Amino acid sequence: MIRDPAAQEARLLAAKRLVEEVLLPAEAEMDRTDEVPASVLAAIREAGLFGISIPERFGGLGLTMEEEAELMLVLGRAAPAYRSRYALNSGGAAQILLHAGSEAQQARWLPSMASGEVVAAFCLSEQEAGSDAASLRSEAQPDGAGGWVLRGSKRWVTNGPEAGLFVVMARTGEAISAFAVPVGSPGLTVLPTQGKMGLRGMHVADLRFDDVRLPGDALVGAPGTGLKSALAGLDKVRLHLAALCAGLSERMVSEGVRHAARRRQFGRPLHEHQMVAAMLADSATEALAAHCMALELARKRDEGKLAPGEAAAAKLFATEALGRVADRMLQIHGGEGYMEGSAIERLYRDARLFRILDGTSEVQRIVVSRWAMQARG
Ligand SMILES: Cc1cc2nc3c(=O)[nH]c(=O)nc-3n(C[C@H](O)[C@H](O)[C@H](O)COP(=O)(O)OP(=O)(O)OC[C@H]3O[C@@H](n4cnc5c(N)ncnc54)[C@H](O)[C@@H]3O)c2cc1C
């Protein structure tokens, strides 16, 4: 993929307009109703965002990693539940199909994922297999006629209630394989999960597989290569998230600045009190650092120069910084920040997930420390 500066400038302008005119005005309603309004989903679809990480030949935006990171820095300023609805179509599920899918699988699924017609979900975690994903127990056995029989369960599948396709990791003997499982497959039960802390508008579901019969061509890639295929797309997912979280930190700093300028105590605006100014300064600095890190490492990935632990380091820094920024910006809002109805209260709840999702901070630290030991040992 080659960078196209003119097209990118137009894309960024359109994204800014989408954020300001469509996404921000609908945020509070989305949080209240736990639904993304249909008109907003239509605008997201029109902007091509379901295909944000999918190549052009399959109907996606065909972006370089740097272009994708720039776009996420802009789109990250809106509530992150929107992103969960569109970008996960391009995330784990699409990256496995791109990396290991047959031509027939790619042609069947990727164009309709890029257009948003089919919602795809990535299914790895289980009740007993979270950070230690390789210990998963779901199992697929040959059915003796060229197909497979899938048994087991999955927990907290993002977009599960809406999904038309589940890319499922299951054990085939000792190793783990990936399977494309369409919704409606007999024996597949989708159980929507209620009661998340934040990201309202994005839904999760648990899955149960009771002897789900799959044809031979449901297997994605060679048997036993599922986890390897999932890991192949992980750098991209981590850099995407790092840019998203940097954008969200910048948004929260803007919220803090607005409040600190408007609210007066002891006869002057809050930002004229040095301790409040320090919270703004530390947060703006950390947001900027996360922004620069995401962009620089996205560029390095495009050049094929990304070192093994760098994407994990970007995700770790951006999500941990976001946590600190969210906490300080809520503090600047005082009681107002704690009460339902303020943007900062919503975003604070949303922000908390990113230190857990797609590998917890502790898991990123394991990856980064291994790389640091290898690179510098
Ligand atoms: C809203 C939501 C959406 C999700 N969507 C998806 C999805 O679409 N697909 C999917 O497959 N999964 C999904 N997940 C699951 C998510 O990926 C896991 O929650 C995550 O990987 C952490 O696993 P866990 O929750 O089981 O925590 P655990 O693995 O039980 O970890 C608990 C704590 O122990 C720490 N810990 C664990 N092992 C170590 C270690 N070796 N060293 C140090 N600390 C350690 C962790 O960092 C964490 O702090 C989702 C989760 C949520 C909450």
Side-chain angles (χ1 to χ4, degrees):
M1 276 166 270
I2 297 166
R3 188 176 165 86
D4 179 345
Q8 178 68 352
E9 199 176 316
R11 229 178 265 122
L12 293 175
L13 263 177
K16 272 184 199 138
R17 266 205 308 277
L18 180 75
V19 167
E20 277 157 26
E21 294 170 15
V22 181
L23 303 185
L24 297 184
E27 273 185 0
E29 187 196 342
M30 175 170 75
D31 188 60
R32 205 169 42 249
T33 60
D34 197 18
E35 291 296 338
V36 183
S39 59
V40 174
L41 273 180
I44 288 173
R45 192 168 292 134
E46 187 146 328
L49 293 178
F50 282 95
I52 189 168
S53 313
I54 295 179
E56 231 171 344
R57 67 182 187 283
F58 296 116
L61 291 182
L63 305 179
T64 65
M65 191 68 235
E66 184 186 13
E67 289 172 330
E68 181 175 334
E70 285 171 347
L71 200 53
M72 287 322 300
L73 286 164
V74 173
L75 293 164
R77 297 186 68 94
Y82 295 123
R83 184 215 70 104
S84 302
R85 291 298 297 271
Y86 59 79
L88 264 83
N89 255 23
S90 295
Q95 297 310 313
I96 288 177
L97 287 168
L98 281 165
H99 180 77
S102 65
E103 270 183 34
Q105 286 167 333
Q106 292 180 342
R108 176 173 177 198
W109 295 112
L110 290 171
S112 43
M113 286 160 69
S115 69
E117 191 188 323
V118 167
V119 172
F122 174 63
C123 317
L124 175 63
S125 306
E126 299 179 358
Q127 177 73 30
E128 301 302 332
S131 300
D132 184 12
S135 68
L136 63 82
R137 293 181 186 169
S138 290
E139 187 182 25
Q141 285 181 340
D143 67 357
W148 300 88
V149 182
L150 177 62
R151 299 184 188 97
S153 63
K154 293 289 166 186
R155 182 162 77 155
W156 300 330
V157 172
T158 298
N159 294 337
E162 292 83 15
L165 171 68
F166 299 95
V167 174
V168 178
M169 295 291 156
R171 197 162 286 289
T172 47
E174 286 302 300
I176 291 169
S177 303
F179 292 89
V181 182
V183 72
S185 299
L188 165 66
T189 311
V190 180
L191 302 154
T193 317
Q194 305 297 332
K196 273 188 284 86
M197 175 179 176
L199 279 127
R200 295 188 186 147
M202 172 270 251
H203 307 136
V204 295
D206 293 349
L207 305 181
R208 234 184 38 225
F209 312 109
D210 297 310
D211 291 343
V212 177
R213 289 193 167 270
L214 299 171
D217 64 4
L219 178 70
V220 183
T225 60
L227 217 47
K228 205 168 131 216
S229 305
L231 292 176
L234 214 54
D235 274 359
K236 192 169 178 60
V237 172
R238 285 175 176 159
L239 291 175
H240 171 107
L241 282 173
L244 168 86
C245 291
L248 187 52
S249 283
E250 286 169 346
R251 159 78 185 279
M252 291 181 114
V253 172
S254 303
E255 297 286 342
V257 162
R258 246 195 313 275
H259 187 79
R262 197 178 54 219
R263 172 90 172 151
R264 298 175 71 86
Q265 288 294 285
F266 300 97
R268 56 172 71 163
L270 291 180
H271 70 91
E272 288 186 13
H273 297 290
Q274 278 188 352
M275 277 187 271
V276 174
M279 284 196 270
L280 287 173
D282 289 349
S283 298
T285 304
E286 290 199 87
L288 177 63
H291 181 130
C292 294
M293 200 171 174
L295 276 186
E296 168 64 13
L297 294 179
R299 236 174 263 136
K300 274 183 90 172
R301 188 180 188 274
D302 287 334
E303 291 164 1
K305 293 180 182 163
L306 194 69
E310 286 182 329
K315 198 251 178 195
L316 173 65
F317 182 78
T319 56
E320 290 285 329
L322 174 61
R324 291 188 292 271
V325 170
D327 194 58
R328 291 188 203 109
M329 294 305 102
L330 191 146
Q331 189 69 10
I332 286 179
H333 280 70
E336 204 178 306
Y338 191 74
M339 301 306 286
E340 271 179 28
S342 68
I344 208 76
E345 183 266 341
R346 269 190 280 112
L347 297 174
Y348 179 88
R349 284 188 277 110
D350 290 346
R352 190 61 186 86
L353 181 64
F354 295 100
R355 283 186 267 162
I356 298 170
L357 203 66
D358 284 303
T360 63
S361 289
E362 291 70 33
V363 167
Q364 309 302 331
R365 284 188 178 99
I366 292 170
V367 176
V368 176
S369 65
R370 279 188 191 143
W371 162 61
M373 289 301 292
Q374 271 168 9
R376 298 178 176 84

